[in-house]
Amino acid sequence: MTDISPAPYGPTPSPRQLAWHKREYYGFIHFTTNTFTDKEWGYGDESPEIFNPSDFDADQIASTAAKAGMTGLILTCKHHDGFCLWPSKYTEHSVKNSPWRDGKGDVVREISDACRRHDIGFGVYLSPWDRNHAEYGRPAYIEYFRNQLHELTTEYGELFEVWFDGANGGDGYYGGANETRSIDRSTYYDWEHTREIVRRNQPNAVMFSDAGPDIRWVGNEKGIAGDPCWSTIDQDGLFPGIDKASFKTRLNDDMVDAWDSPNDYLNAGDRQGTVWLPTECDVSIRPGWFYHATEDDKVRTPDNLLDLYLKSVGRGASLLVNLPPDRRGLIHESDVASLHGFRQRLDAIFGNDLAQDAQCTASNTRAGHQRFAAANLIDGNPETYWSTDDDAKAPELILEFSQPTTFSVVGLREFLPLGQRITRFAVDVDRDDEWSEWCSTEAVGCRRLVRGERCTTTRLRVRVVDAPVCPALSALELYSE
Ligand code: FUL
């Protein structure tokens, strides 16, 4: 039988990227000696003896994340100060020389086990920059870094993500040298070979950095993706920690003219991009990444978190919210309360998809075939999709309700194995038998949530306004706040 499905358009996600797209919202844990020195970046000369949480409880941390609706946690196993939260064989600068659990503790073990108990994924952050290590800046450090990567990717079970930060090089302790060391960020880590360790040991894990290879930084630490934010980009010339000058020299003239900085480029993505490299939006629930008692009254509110969710997950990216454990080794009560409120809002809105009560019809159905019917958009099954004949590139969908229905958020999802196909779409509502435009916007991707004017209607129309090929949409959702 011939395959009548539409041909994929442009770059498409790998199986590991597809699995990651389903995670949508997960958490970050920033914890190290900084928690005890009240700093954001440790210099690398901190004594391991200061790491001594009084009531560390990995279950409190993992259950807080799980109850908040998070699908995983990524732990700073080593931040820039070089202190290791696990008893690495390759350094003395770790929990094994701290008083915590008499030097027998392993934060990575406890958090990873707790994540499994609470049925969420576990991921690791291993800072490429190490302000403690004597060999930082020289080849011997790369061997050390790779050894650590090997430990983390072999000893703590399945990882869903490995996080490589872009900050590297600068002043530090460096085994007592107390100097400034700069490295060539594009060559020093020999990323191509370093990444092979992760691929070999954790083939399902996605790797995060400014340059992927699986997911990209969003270009800010505010939790906000571009509008639109394309899942495609041109990866050539990008590397973790890329600066403005390298960005300008390495990319072609069109790109240099279009984007002022790598951060702008990463934030927006590139409709003409050559690879699938979706976005992760990292943001802290507090002003800092590490816990500071002075910020107990500066925790983001549930409404603010909801706004960020709509500007990240709702733009086809993921939302990574940082929860810094305090000196007890617990997520502070203020953060727990805020997460609880956020979860209640998510449930209240997204727990009730109003589109499921409607009839969904389309101006065109591919080959007139049931397999591509508009009903697939509201069947709650992400594996089925609606599509049209190849030449029907600007089709329409209509949702019809038996009762007047009030909504304020419209959601669309593309069937990602066939690529990012829709460039622009619009939504209209029926006001007294006249169509009136409710929104017109670019990009769908994994998930597009448009929050707009609260409106009551019996009919809603989605128009594909601009697309190089026929659409393939797996969901049309409608919510009310
Ligand atoms: C940054 C780091 O320098 C911060 O300390 C933090 O880890 C954040 C997530 O990434 O680049």
Side-chain angles (χ1 to χ4, degrees), residues 109 163 245 254 272 313 393:
R109 174 81 54 220
W163 221 89
D254 288 356
Q272 262 64 56
V313 173
K393 295 180 195 169

Side-chain angles (χ1 to χ4, degrees), residues 28 30 40-41 76 79-80 125 163 165-167 221 282 289-290:
F28 227 170
H30 272 66
E40 278 291 305
W41 279 12
T76 55
H79 199 250
H80 310 330
Y125 170 122
W163 221 89
D165 191 66
E221 293 183 341
D282 59 320
W289 291 100
F290 288 90

Side-chain angles (χ1 to χ4, degrees), residues 25 67-69 302-303 305-306 336-352 480-481:
Y25 158 52
K67 281 186 215 145
D303 286 332
L305 291 169
L306 175 63
V336 173
S338 177
L339 290 167
H340 179 68
F342 176 38
R343 173 70 194 263
Q344 283 181 322
R345 280 165 179 69
L346 288 178
D347 287 349
I349 300 168
F350 299 109
N352 183 18
S480 171
E481 282 187 65

Side-chain angles (χ1 to χ4, degrees), residues 182-193:
S182 45
I183 49 120
D184 181 339
R185 294 174 175 187
S186 67
T187 55
Y188 180 53
Y189 296 96
D190 180 12
W191 281 113
E192 203 190 317
H193 291 104

Side-chain angles (χ1 to χ4, degrees), residues 73-130:
L73 276 181
I74 300 172
L75 173 68
T76 55
C77 302
K78 181 185 87 169
H79 199 250
H80 310 330
D81 53 77
F83 181 76
C84 298
L85 294 182
W86 81 104
S88 171
K89 280 207 290 274
Y90 304 99
T91 182
E92 292 303 304
H93 197 57
S94 82
V95 281
K96 73 185 169 204
N97 288 312
S98 78
W100 178 66
R101 305 243 196 280
D102 293 324
K104 309 247 165 1
D106 182 342
V107 178
V108 183
R109 174 81 54 220
E110 292 196 31
I111 295 280
S112 59
D113 285 351
C115 284
R116 267 157 214 125
R117 281 195 291 279
H118 296 279
D119 205 21
I120 57 175
F122 176 66
V124 299
Y125 170 122
L126 181 69
S127 172
W129 187 20
D130 190 319

